[in-house]
Amino acid sequence: MSTSYEQQHVEYPSRKRLAWLTAGSAIFIAAGLFLILSDSKETGASTISCVVGVVSILFFGCCLCYILMKMIKKEPSFVVDEKGFVDSSSYTSGGSIAWTDVENIFMYELMGQPMIGIKLRDEKAFLDRQMGIKRKLMTVNTNMVDATISIAQSSLTLPLDQLYVMMVGRWKRVNPSVTNQQPPEQV
């Protein structure tokens, strides 16, 4: 669901996608429990099963908590206006970003999933403001695709290519000196 008012475009998370992610997380938590509780006659195999089970429960348990919080809060996942955008579409979302801070916006594909990449002018200052694991994940992303912020389709209802056109148009209005930017070379 999206709404537009006062030159602002607001995207809310897709309830259907969140429901599927919730179900998927619950299945992996159950699989982790099964691995921990399953009886194996080999000691080495049971230790590995327990470790994999615990990791599965911890990771997908955190994912489930995050998804449930997104479902309960009912906050926008993405807002675009004439000043910039607010990204809260994922755990590694960028927050509030002004168009003047954006160096480049480009589309790319990661593991078969289309993404919008945003490279910031002062990437180091932005990453320094992030905390803990979020900073590490954003740094890894920056090293992989040269995008400080990445936006995936999974948390949006508007098709990504339409959001990209909207973002580039508003970014160019604020920065008229911007020419047709090309994406950085992908590894």
Side-chain angles (χ1 to χ4, degrees), residues 9-123:
H9 178 82
V10 181
E11 282 287 315
Y12 289 92
S14 166
R15 296 281 173 217
K16 187 177 183 180
R17 284 190 187 116
L18 290 176
W20 279 108
L21 290 171
T22 301
S25 295
I27 289 169
F28 278 100
I29 291 169
L33 281 170
F34 176 77
L35 287 172
I36 290 172
L37 300 175
S38 68
D39 288 332
S40 178
K41 294 179 182 172
E42 295 179 38
T43 306
S46 69
T47 303
I48 292 171
S49 293
C50 283
V51 169
V52 170
V54 167
V55 169
S56 177
I57 291 169
L58 290 175
F59 178 76
F60 289 102
C62 290
C63 291
L64 182 64
C65 290
Y66 179 78
I67 295 164
L68 290 174
M69 284 183 1
K70 287 294 237 183
M71 289 177 93
I72 292 167
K73 282 186 176 181
K74 297 181 182 178
E75 292 179 343
S77 57
F78 204 80
V79 179
V80 180
D81 62 23
E82 295 303 317
K83 296 175 189 166
F85 63 92
V86 179
D87 175 24
S88 53
S89 61
S90 70
Y91 177 72
T92 58
S93 59
S96 181
I97 306 292
W99 293 125
T100 54
D101 295 336
V102 175
E103 181 178 310
N104 192 8
I105 303 174
F106 56 94
M107 294 281 298
Y108 70 97
E109 196 171 295
L110 182 65
M111 294 188 286
Q113 182 178 6
M115 310 277 275
I116 296 176
I118 295 128
K119 178 142 178 81
L120 300 179
R121 295 183 194 284
D122 193 353
E123 193 171 86

Side-chain angles (χ1 to χ4, degrees), residues 85-167:
F85 63 92
V86 179
D87 175 24
S88 53
S89 61
S90 70
Y91 177 72
T92 58
S93 59
S96 181
I97 306 292
W99 293 125
T100 54
D101 295 336
V102 175
E103 181 178 310
N104 192 8
I105 303 174
F106 56 94
M107 294 281 298
Y108 70 97
E109 196 171 295
L110 182 65
M111 294 188 286
Q113 182 178 6
M115 310 277 275
I116 296 176
I118 295 128
K119 178 142 178 81
L120 300 179
R121 295 183 194 284
D122 193 353
E123 193 171 86
K124 184 182 178 333
F126 175 78
L127 291 173
D128 287 345
R129 289 192 302 266
Q130 308 308 314
M131 301 287 229
I133 191 83
K134 183 176 179 179
R135 179 189 312 183
K136 288 180 179 28
L137 290 171
M138 291 178 105
T139 302
V140 167
N141 186 59
T142 300
N143 292 333
M144 282 178 24
V145 294
D146 201 29
T148 318
I149 300 165
S150 292
I151 303 162
Q153 179 68 65
S154 61
S155 57
L156 305 171
T157 55
L158 183 71
L160 211 56
D161 56 341
Q162 290 179 24
L163 180 62
Y164 171 75
V165 169
M166 180 189 306
M167 290 177 72

